[in-house]
């Protein structure tokens, strides 16, 4: 299943620019892979808005989100970040991971769906956006 799925995503212009830059650096380093292609597809088909105009319930870069298995699983908190900031113990997940790519641009109530590296499908419902840089007035995070 494509990370774009049937859900309409919204991202900020700044996230778009930074993610495209990340993907260009990955390609220059010879690190292009299926996940990078999936992320490029997500941002290419997303609605783009100024950081000041993004709704507070949308997952942007460095958003801290509460998610749960849609079948009633335990909730957990994840923060969407760039690869250098990944820290699994702190719930910091890369936008270049299947989960990270699938969360980008979703709204509270949406279900992120992806195929793991093992080929198994995964899903997480976005329950709340606990922190979003733009909602707190940080338009350059």
């Amino acid at each position: 299943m494509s990370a774009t799925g049937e859900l309409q995503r919204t991202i900020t212009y700044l996230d778009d620019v930074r993610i495209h830059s990340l993907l260009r650096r990955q390609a220059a380093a010879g690190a292009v892979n299926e996940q990078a292609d999936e992320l490029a597809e997500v941002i290419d088909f997303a609605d783009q808005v100024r950081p000041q105009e993004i709704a507070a319930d949308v997952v942007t870069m460095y958003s801290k989100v509460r998610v749960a298995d849609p079948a009633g699983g335990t909730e957990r908190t994840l923060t969407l970040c760039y690869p250098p900031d990944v820290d699994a113990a702190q719930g910091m997940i890369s936008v270049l991971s299947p989960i990270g790519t699938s969360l980008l641009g979703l709204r509270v109530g949406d279900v992120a769906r992806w195929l793991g590296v093992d080929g198994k499908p995964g899903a997480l419902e976005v329950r709340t956006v606990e922190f979003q840089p733009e909602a707190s007035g940080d338009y350059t995070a």
Side-chain angles (χ1 to χ4, degrees), residues 13-54:
Y13 290 124
L14 186 56
D15 284 350
D16 177 70
V17 168
R18 289 182 174 167
I19 292 169
H20 270 108
S21 178
L22 168 67
L23 294 172
R24 279 193 301 277
R25 287 192 310 274
Q26 293 274 68
V32 175
N33 58 37
E34 188 175 320
Q35 194 58 45
D37 292 342
E38 193 81 12
L39 179 55
E41 181 181 334
V42 165
I43 62 175
D44 287 346
F45 287 100
D47 288 336
Q48 295 182 16
V49 298
R50 293 180 31 224
Q52 297 86 344
E53 297 170 348
I54 194 90

Side-chain angles (χ1 to χ4, degrees), residues 28 64 68 86:
K64 185 177 192 176
V86 168

